Every structure is written in structure tokens, then in C-alpha cells.
Amino acid sequence: MTPRDFSLDTLFRANALRLATREATVDGLQRLTWAELDQRVENLAHWLLAKGIRAGDRVALLLTDGTPFVTSLLACGRIGAIAVLLNWRLAPGEIGWIMGNAEPSRTFANPRFEQLLSESDAGEVVLVDEQHDSHGAFESIVASDQPRQTLPQLTPDRPLYMMYTSGTTGRPKGCLQASSAVATSALGMCTRRGWTHRERLLSVNPLFHVVGMQQIAAMIACGGAMVFAGRDDDAAAMLDLLHREDCTTTSAFPQILLPWRAMEPLRDGAIPLTNYTGGAGPGFVPLYEFLGQEWDCEVIGGYGQTEICGFATAIDYPDMCNHPRSIGWAMPHVEFTILDPDGNQLPPGEEGEICMRGPTVMLGYWRNPEATEAALGHGWLRSGDLGTMDEHDLVYLLGRSKELIKTGGENVYPAEVDAVFQTMDEVADAGCCGVPDKQWGEAVKAFVVLKPGMELTREEITARFKDQIAGYKRPRYIEFVEQLPRDMLGKLQRLELSQRPVTPDQAA
């Protein structure tokens, strides 16, 4: 007997029937109801079948966020093809390696990204116009009835997409996620957030990233509307879109949130945003303060990974304030534990590797059995992050195991050092990393961005650290910089910092 299908497409079809005339997507000037979106997905699915695409074949998406991306993803899921989600910020050579690894039969690409395929074997390329040109190749396919074929019988654990990791320790790995896992993650998010079909998501996170994908999947699960910000929109344009479309939720990164605050975001004394989802940890508490107090938004932070299908913990803003170093409690669909290097579970309070299991754990890494075994071999997903859990199952993140600084036989978690800088009024941003040291093996180096007009010397910083943390954790080198390298979600790129030169004049 074929298992009853449970997938993202299952949830999508249910809403296409239940909410047929309600708005599903807003993408520029194009607005589609759930029934209209479903018709486009069906047309594209049958077109792919007619082109010989079968279950397990790869279809690459090199697209900006929007309705074509969602349509293509769901069409792949409907026939069992695997969508390869490509990061358009990569260089042609990086895209070429991924395409060589994934070997897609078809590629849907925006014209503006066509040059990124110059070093790729992309199969047949279908150009997707961002303006939804009715004469364009993609629009002609999805807007026209395609000859119907028999859809394949599919199992719930079929792969839906492949999302490549950042590859900071080598070549990127293709994280393969089952359609049932994506659906379970989406429902878990809806349950935790209390989302219904009345939600309107302002989608600003790229869909090739798990944060953006999980939120879109959650809207598909609950029937909420997906409002896409254009790739060229600046913070002001996104704020205007938030008001114009009465969006109720988002997960905007700091590069958007902070400019919004300076733009007097309240209009007629209010802002339509009622809830916000973002990261958790000590660096996020001051960022969220104005969201909860000035904007009267519900703020929920969390922690997750590509390999677990998005956020796996959640913590409300009041709990963040009470437990500023915590990343929250497990989401309904995830179980957490702390393991030692041999795979043994550790008791509350002991430091080890944060590990997870549940129905949203990845199927594995594409064509990489060694990496798959390393990540999943103990029966848990090994996160590569160091942390603890308390007696109430509250999870605390200490830092990446690869970012752990070992100095004189002692462990230093970069987040501990960063937290001290957050107490200094003169400091706008700061971050640390480990650098080679002849005496101690490694030493702590800090990079500091001062607020405009502020002054702070290395000697003053060292003096303030003395009462805060142990001597071996204090920065031995301090470099003042204009800005820190962060990705679009605000995550500090410590590897890049560690590769910068250390000079004698930086000694603290």
C-alpha cells in the first residue's frame, strides 16, 4: 500500500480548495488567489512531465523571491522532482561547482542572473521575467493549460529541495530535505506562532535560505498571504510595502529593522506588524527592545539550521530578557540533547554539542556519505554548535565548535567576549575570534566599531574586561575597524576575521 501523502503540496492543495478566492501572493503588480496559484502550479508540473522530468530529477532555481519561485518549487514537489535552490550572490565558479554536483535537467533563471551560469551545465534554461511579462517563456507556460498527464505516485519522504550550505570548511554540501519534513516544520512554526489564514507575511529573507523558506512554507500551511519585497527595494520601500499591504508578520534582518526605526515607522500611531520572528541570544535582546516596547509587536526569537529545516527552538521576548544567553525551548517537532564527542548524552548544565532529532532532520547531504555519517551517525543531528541545557530543557548556545578558541588549554567561547563589548556605551559593534599565538596556541583578538564621535582606547577596554570575565578570555589584541563582516542575516563572519593579519600595534 502506498503511504498516504503528507507533503507541502498536500497542505497547499487543501488551502487551494478551502481558501480558493482569498489572496495567496502579492508580487509587484501581480496578485494571485490560492486557486489561481494552484492552477499555475498544475500547469508547470504537467509541462515538466512533458519535458521528461521525472521523480528524483533535479530542477535548478536561480530566481529572485516571488511567485515564480513558489510556483516552481511546488510544481517540482507535485511530480517528485528535486528543486535545487541556488544562491544568486555566489560567483559563476561557485554556481558552476554546485550545478556540476547537482546535475539539473532544467534551470529556471531570472535574466539578470544569466551570466552566473557562464561556468555551468544548467540543462535547458527557462528565463523568468520578474515583471511577469505575459509574452515571456515562463509566464506563457504557467498561464496556459498544459496537456494533462498522469501524476506519479509519491511517498511522503521524497526529497523536495536541495539547499547548499555555506561551505566554510570546504566545498558546500547539498542538504536534502523531504517534502514531509518541510510540511512538518511549517506546521510546527504555525502552531508555535498561532498563525492562521489571516496572516500576511512580508517576505524579505531570500528563499534560497532556510529562514525565508520556512516562513513561506508556514504561510502555505496556514493559508496566509505571501507579500514579496522586490530585490531592488530599499528599507524605505519595504516599510511602505509593510503598511500598504497590512502585513502582520516578518523576519527582517537588522540591516532593515534599524533603518526602519529611524524612519518613524508608526503611521497614525500604529504599525500593522503584530509579530516578528528572529534569532535568539544576548546580541538580539537590545535589538528587539524597540520592537516590543515602541512598536508593541510580539517578538519571538529562535535557533535553527538548514539541516533541521529552519527554526528548531523558540523563545518569547520576556523570556529572552530573563534568560539573555538562551536560544529557547524546542519547537513541537524537535527534540534536543547535549552530547559529548563520543555521542554520550550529558546531564543538565554540562557543556557539549547541541544535537537534535525529529521528523524535520535532513535526509542527508547529496552525494556525500562521509559528511552525512558525520552529521547523523549517532542517531542525532550533530549541529556543530556548543551549548548546554538546564533542568527545564532551556537551551543555551555557547558558540560554533569550529569557532571555539583554545588558549593555554582553556576554552573561550567568542559569544562570552562579545557580550562584554555589548555593555560598553561607546561600542557600536564588536566581535572576536582566535588567532595563532606562540605561547598559548591561540589568543583572543577583538574587532571593535566605535559609535560616531566616541573614543575608547585599548587600555580602557582592557580595564573594563578585568571585572567581567577571566583573564584568559580577555582580548590580547584589539583592532578598531569601521565595520564588521556580517551576512545579510547579521551573522558575524568570524572565519574572515581570523584570516586578517595580527600586528604588534594591536596588542592590548
Side-chain angles (χ1 to χ4, degrees):
M1 177 182 293
T2 302
R4 183 181 182 274
D5 186 30
F6 173 66
S7 65
L8 191 65
D9 193 44
T10 307
L11 304 177
F12 173 65
R13 289 192 194 212
N15 283 327
L17 294 172
R18 181 173 70 97
L19 306 169
T21 60
R22 286 186 66 92
E23 198 165 66
T25 62
V26 178
D27 184 4
L29 298 178
Q30 186 185 70
R31 295 173 179 271
L32 297 177
T33 66
W34 286 94
E36 290 169 338
L37 182 58
D38 181 52
Q39 182 65 47
R40 286 168 170 256
V41 171
E42 188 77 357
N43 288 338
L44 185 56
H46 285 282
W47 182 87
L48 288 169
L49 286 175
K51 294 297 183 180
I53 303 298
R54 296 295 179 261
D57 290 347
R58 276 77 62 206
V59 176
L61 308 186
L62 188 59
L63 302 171
T64 51
D65 307 335
T67 305
F69 193 115
V70 174
T71 304
S72 302
L73 176 73
L74 291 169
C76 287
R78 190 160 292 187
I79 65 172
I82 304 171
V84 182
L85 313 183
L86 297 175
N87 180 348
W88 35 259
R89 292 189 175 90
L90 298 179
E94 294 171 306
I95 294 284
W97 187 91
I98 291 173
M99 296 291 264
N101 183 249
E103 296 184 313
S105 301
R106 288 286 187 285
T107 297
F108 293 106
N110 288 129
R112 70 165 79 194
F113 302 142
E114 202 172 359
Q115 74 279 4
L116 295 179
L117 299 174
S118 60
E119 300 182 29
S120 300
D121 182 1
E124 181 180 328
V125 178
V126 178
L127 295 180
V128 181
D129 187 84
E130 293 178 29
Q131 305 304 317
H132 312 295
D133 182 3
S134 60
H135 300 293
F138 183 82
E139 192 69 16
S140 297
I141 295 167
V142 298
S144 304
D145 288 338
Q146 301 292 326
R148 293 312 192 235
Q149 303 188 39
T150 302
L151 292 172
Q153 292 291 319
L154 302 170
T155 59
D157 61 350
R158 65 186 180 275
L160 173 63
Y161 67 67
M162 187 152 43
M163 190 177 287
Y164 278 79
T165 62
S166 58
T168 55
T169 58
R171 290 291 192 181
K173 300 184 291 288
C175 177
L176 205 58
Q177 275 294 4
S179 193
S180 58
V182 179
T184 301
S185 172
L187 288 173
M189 176 69 83
C190 292
T191 299
R192 181 61 179 83
R193 301 305 310 276
W195 280 339
T196 72
H197 67 276
R198 294 180 178 84
E199 304 304 330
R200 294 180 67 82
L201 168 72
L202 177 63
S203 177
V204 298
N205 289 295
L207 301 190
F208 58 70
H209 190 282
V210 72
V211 173
M213 176 55 66
Q214 188 184 35
Q215 290 192 318
I216 288 298
M219 290 300 107
I220 290 172
C222 73
M226 297 164 266
V227 180
F228 294 100
R231 180 182 172 228
D232 300 321
D233 287 356
D234 59 14
M238 291 182 191
L239 179 60
D240 183 65
L241 184 63
L242 174 77
H243 279 279
R244 194 169 67 247
E245 295 296 336
D246 292 320
C247 295
T248 61
T249 186
T250 192
S251 183
F253 30 92
Q255 293 93 321
I256 295 175
L257 281 179
L258 295 178
W260 278 359
R261 189 185 187 192
M263 294 175 185
E264 300 181 358
L266 303 185
R267 298 181 184 175
D268 297 326
I271 189 169
L273 190 65
T274 57
N275 51 55
Y276 172 87
T277 306
F284 291 93
V285 174
L287 173 66
Y288 297 158
E289 183 177 8
F290 69 87
L291 283 168
Q293 296 182 7
E294 297 177 24
W295 296 5
D296 195 26
C297 293
E298 178 188 7
V299 179
I300 295 182
Y303 159 90
Q305 290 187 329
T306 301
E307 290 84 351
I308 197 72
C309 219
F311 282 108
T313 72
I315 182 169
D316 297 309
Y317 174 68
D319 288 324
M320 285 188 220
C321 296
N322 293 329
H323 308 279
R325 297 196 60 77
S326 177
I327 54 175
W329 287 272
M331 295 278 272
H333 54 279
V334 184
E335 181 183 355
F336 275 76
T337 194
I338 306 296
L339 298 184
D340 68 14
D342 296 321
N344 301 308
Q345 290 185 254
L346 296 173
E350 290 202 21
E351 298 175 3
E353 185 174 7
I354 296 173
C355 298
M356 299 161 277
R357 67 184 178 191
T360 62
V361 170
M362 67 173 178
L363 296 170
Y365 294 116
W366 177 256
R367 294 176 175 171
N368 197 335
E370 295 83 6
T372 299
E373 175 63 22
L376 305 177
H378 285 95
W380 295 81
L381 169 64
R382 307 200 71 140
S383 70
D385 288 329
L386 299 170
T388 64
M389 290 176 64
D390 66 17
E391 63 276 15
H392 304 294
D393 288 343
L394 198 58
V395 187
Y396 295 81
L397 177 66
L398 298 173
R400 292 289 294 172
S401 60
K402 298 180 182 64
E403 296 173 348
L404 180 68
I405 303 168
K406 293 183 177 290
T407 177
E410 298 283 359
N411 292 341
V412 179
Y413 300 102
E416 292 181 282
V417 183
D418 295 352
V420 177
F421 280 107
Q422 290 164 11
T423 67
M424 301 182 188
D425 293 335
E426 300 91 342
V427 175
D429 197 6
C432 71
C433 65
V435 295
D437 185 90
K438 291 181 179 180
Q439 182 177 2
W440 305 107
E442 276 191 303
V444 179
K445 180 178 178 181
F447 295 80
V448 180
V449 181
L450 295 178
K451 293 178 181 177
M454 293 291 188
E455 295 182 359
L456 194 63
T457 66
R458 291 182 176 85
E459 292 75 18
E460 289 172 329
I461 290 174
T462 299
R464 296 188 193 184
F465 262 87
K466 286 183 178 179
D467 296 329
Q468 300 290 324
I469 57 178
Y472 67 87
K473 299 179 182 180
R474 299 170 195 160
R476 293 184 180 272
Y477 301 95
I478 299 172
E479 181 178 348
F480 293 99
V481 295
E482 292 186 1
Q483 64 178 19
L484 296 181
R486 294 185 179 276
D487 65 17
M488 65 176 301
L489 298 177
K491 184 177 180 181
L492 183 63
Q493 304 299 287
R494 297 188 196 272
L495 178 61
E496 181 179 332
L497 291 177
S498 68
Q499 295 171 344
R500 297 185 180 182
V502 178
T503 58
D505 62 297
Q506 297 168 358

